[in-house]
Amino acid sequence: MAGDVLPRSFVMPPNSEFGIREINPGPGLAGSGPGGAYELVERMEYLYVRVVKARGLKWAGDLEPFAELRLGGYSCTTRHVGKTASPEWDDVFAFARERIHAPFLDVFVRGRGFAKEDHVGSTRLDLGILPDAPASVQPDSSPAPQWYPAFDRRGELRGEVMMAVWFGTQKDSYFDSAVHADAAFPVDDKLAAHIKHIRYDVPRLCYVRVKVIEVRDIVFADKARVGEVFVRSRVLGQVHRTRTSMDHRWRDEENGHLFVAAAPFKDYLNMSVVGIKNGKEEVIGHVNVLLDNFERRCDTRPISPRWFYLMQPEGAAKADKYSAKISVVLCLECGYKVLSEPVHYLSDVRPAARERERERACIGLVELGIREASLTATRTRDGRGSCDAYCVAKYGVKWYRTRTVTDSLSPRFHQQYHWEVHDHCTVLTVAVFHNSQIGDKGGLVAGDPVKDVLLGKVRIRLSTLETGRTYAYAYPLISLHGGGVRKTGELRLAVRFSSTSALGLLQTYAQPHLPAMHYHRPLAVVQQEMLRREAVTAIAHRLGRMDPPLRRECVEHLCESHALRWSMRRSKAHFFRLAEALEPLSAASTWFHHVCRWTNPVTTVAVHVIFTMLVCCPGLLLPTFFLYKFLLGMRNYLSRPKHPWHVDTRVSHAETALPDELDEEFDKFPTGRPPEVVRMRYDKLRSLNARIQEIVGDIATHAERARCVMTWRDPRATALYLLGCLCLTVITFSVPFQAVALLTGLYLMRHPVLRQRLPDVVANFFRRLPCKVDCLL
C-alpha cells in the first residue's frame, strides 16, 4: 500500500503535463463489489480524544474553563464554558497517527485570560498502552470515558477530567464530528469548525410566480384616483416591476414574473403599488404575503387570482377610508427543476415537488473515494511552500466537504461518499480549494474578507462510466487566471457507478431530460439564466449560514456561475469543437470529391458498381446504411476510450490564449480597465464582428436567391426556372426513377476528361439570381 501514495516531488512526464493518469487501485479497490464502506480509499488510523467534562475544579476567583490538548508540536482547545467548576464540553479531536511523534498526550485545564503557561491542573496519558485500531472490522462503539486526575505544578489535586482516548480509523462513528487537530498552528474553538469534515444539504428551491391582474380604489397623495401606476414585487434581493398602466390593469402580461425561493418558504413577498406624478414616484400602498401560503402547482392548471388589501406606507397621512386592493395570481411552481448550474453540468433533474420525485426512481448508486492530492505551494509558511487544502464534492442536493489538511503539499483525505442516482446522464463535480481563512494571514485571524482559492476541478459524467467498474485515476488540477494556465497538482479519485435496475437505466434514455413543465411552459433562455444566478445566490446564502460555512466563491465555482461571461478563448474553443464534430462530414465530402475526380480508379469503379446495385435494388438502400453503421460501431468498439474525460487545456484553448484575452475574460462587469484598453478591445471586437457579419451576409444572400427564383423579381430567370421544372416533370414521369437516379449519380461521378474547370449551368444560373443586397444602405 505504500507504493500507492503520491510522493511530494512527483512530476508528470512533459508530454502529459495536463493529462490523466491511471493509478494502482490498491488491495482495497481491486475486485471489490459495490456497497462496502470505505473500500474505495485506503485505511487511515487516527488517535481520537474525547474530552467530555470536568468536575471539582479548584481555583481562586472566577473561572471560564476550557481544556487544552498538547501532542508533540500540536495544540488544540475545547470550547469555552461559562463560569463553573464543573464544565461540560463533549468535544472530539482526531490526530493522524502518521503525524504523531510524541509518546505522551498532555491535557491542561485552563481559564479564559490565563497566561500561556498557567493552568488549573493537567494530566498526562501514555499512548503506548493504547490498543491498536481493529484491522478489518468497524468498532461497535468508542471506549467508555473515564475520570483522570488533574494536578497542578506542585502535585496537588485540582480536579478531574473525564476523557476517552483510543486509536481508530475513518470508519469510526466520531470521525465526521471530530476536529482534526494536527495543524501546524494551535487549533482553537473558532478555527476548529473550518477543518472539520461536513455534509451540506442544499435547500429545496422553487420558482415563485407573481402575476398582477389589477389594482382598485387607489388614492394618490393629492387625493386623485387617476394616474400612471406600476407594481413593484420583491422577494429578498430579487425585484421585478410591471409596466406603467393608466387603467391600473395588466391582464395582457401572460406569465407574470418569476422569483427563486428556498424551503421552508418562510420569506415574504412584498408588493408595492407605486404611482407616478410629475415624473416622481410615490408609494401608494403595499402588502406582504408569506410564501408558504401560496398555492402549489405541479402542472399547467390555471390558478385563480386572489385579492389583498393594501396597507398605507409609513409616514403617509392616515385616510378615513382606505380600501385599496390588488388582484394577483400567486403560486409556487413545484413542477420545474430550479436550475442552479448549466444544463450541460446538471447533477439532479428532479422537480421541486416531493410527490413528483417518484417519477424519477432510483436507478443506481455512485460511490466516490477522495484519496489524496499532490499540490503546488499556494502560500509561504516559515520560509517554505505550504497549502491548506480541502475538497468539495457536489452531486444533487448533498454536497460533502472534506476536512482541511493544513500545512501539507501531499494532503491525504481518504474519505468515501455515495449518492443515489436518479438519472445517470448527470455530472459529479469535485473541486479542490486552498483554505485562506486559516493561518497567519487568514480571514479568521486578520478579519479580512479573504477568498478561498480554487486549485482545480474534476467533472465526472456518470453516463461515461461502465456499470460496476472502479475507476482509479489521478486527475490533473488546472487553474486558469488572468496570468495564464497553471497546473496546481493532481487529485487521486476512485469512483464507481453501480446500477440497481438495468431496465430503469435503459429507460432513462427515452425520458425527457428535464421535468415535463419545462416543455409544457418553457422558460426563455434569458429568463432562465437570470433565475439561475438567483438560485446560486440563494444556495450561497443558505450554505454560508452553516457551521462551518461554505463560502460564496466556492458555491459559484461549483455551480459554474461565470459560464456566460464573454471569453475569446471560449469562443475559439466552441468553434474548434464544432469543426471537430463536423470533421466526419468534411472527410466524407473530401472522399466523394476524390471519387468524382477519379484519384483512385479502383475505388471509383467500386463505388460505381455499388451505386448501380443500390439504384437497381432500392430496397437494399436502408438495410445497407444501417448495416454499415453497425459494423462501423463494432469496429470502433475495439478502439473505445479506456480513460474518462478530464479538464483538457487543449480543448479549452487555454495554452494558446493571449494575456489580453485572459485579462478580458476575468474582468468584472462593468469593466474597471483604463479607457485605452477598453477602446482596443472594442476595436478588436469590431473587426471580429465584421468577419462574422460578412459570413452571415453571404448566407442570407444565398437564401434570398433561392427564394427569389419563384417571386418573379427577375422575370426571365423565373420563366427559365419554371420551364425547367415543366421539362423535369415530363422526364421524371416518363422515365423510371431508378434511371433518373442512376444517370444523376453517374453524371456527378463522371471522369475528369468529361469535366471542365468552368462552373456548371446550375451554378451560373443560381449566381445570377437577385437578392436584397441592393436594398442595403
Side-chain angles (χ1 to χ4, degrees), residues 54 124 145 267 334 443 498 563 591 637 663 707 714 718 742 758 775:
R124 169 170 286 193
D267 299 314
C334 299
S498 55
W591 173 82
Y637 178 78
D663 182 73
R707 188 176 180 183
D714 184 348
T718 303
L742 182 61
L758 300 177
C775 303

Side-chain angles (χ1 to χ4, degrees), residues 606-651:
V607 172
H608 278 73
V609 173
I610 296 175
F611 176 73
T612 303
M613 292 174 55
L614 294 177
V615 170
C616 296
C617 302
L620 297 177
L621 182 60
L622 292 179
T624 303
F625 173 76
F626 290 119
L627 178 62
Y628 165 76
K629 299 297 289 185
F630 172 78
L631 295 177
L632 181 62
M634 295 304 296
R635 190 195 70 173
N636 292 339
Y637 178 78
L638 301 177
S639 59
R640 65 189 184 278
K642 303 295 184 181
H643 307 301
W645 272 332
H646 64 282
V647 177
D648 194 336
T649 57
R650 183 187 61 83
V651 177

Side-chain angles (χ1 to χ4, degrees), residues 77-128:
T77 61
T78 64
R79 295 172 289 111
H80 293 75
V81 181
K83 300 176 181 179
T84 177
S86 301
E88 295 185 5
W89 301 292
D90 200 13
D91 290 341
V92 182
F93 302 91
F95 301 85
R97 190 166 188 175
E98 61 183 10
R99 291 191 175 192
I100 298 177
H101 302 290
F104 300 102
L105 170 67
D106 294 314
V107 180
F108 298 89
V109 178
R110 307 178 62 205
R112 186 187 295 271
F114 277 30
K116 184 176 182 181
E117 297 300 330
D118 290 345
H119 58 271
V120 179
S122 65
T123 183
R124 169 170 286 193
L125 286 79
D126 186 1
L127 303 182

Side-chain angles (χ1 to χ4, degrees), residues 222-267:
D222 58 357
K223 307 301 182 181
R225 293 180 176 270
V226 179
E228 294 183 344
V229 298
F230 66 88
V231 179
R232 182 188 295 121
S233 306
R234 181 191 303 271
V235 176
L236 295 178
Q238 310 168 60
V239 180
H240 290 289
R241 54 164 290 177
T242 64
R243 60 174 177 82
T244 303
S245 173
M246 283 292 298
D247 59 356
H248 308 166
R249 296 183 178 183
W250 296 269
R251 297 183 182 274
D252 55 338
E253 296 188 2
E254 298 181 359
N255 298 322
H257 300 113
L258 285 179
F259 301 86
V260 176
F265 309 115
K266 297 303 181 182
D267 299 314

Side-chain angles (χ1 to χ4, degrees), residues 1 43-45 132-139 167-171:
M1 186 173 296
R43 165 192 170 94
M44 292 189 66
E45 293 190 7
D132 290 336
S136 59
V137 298
Q138 180 175 352
F167 282 111
T169 66
Q170 66 265 50
K171 294 183 180 181

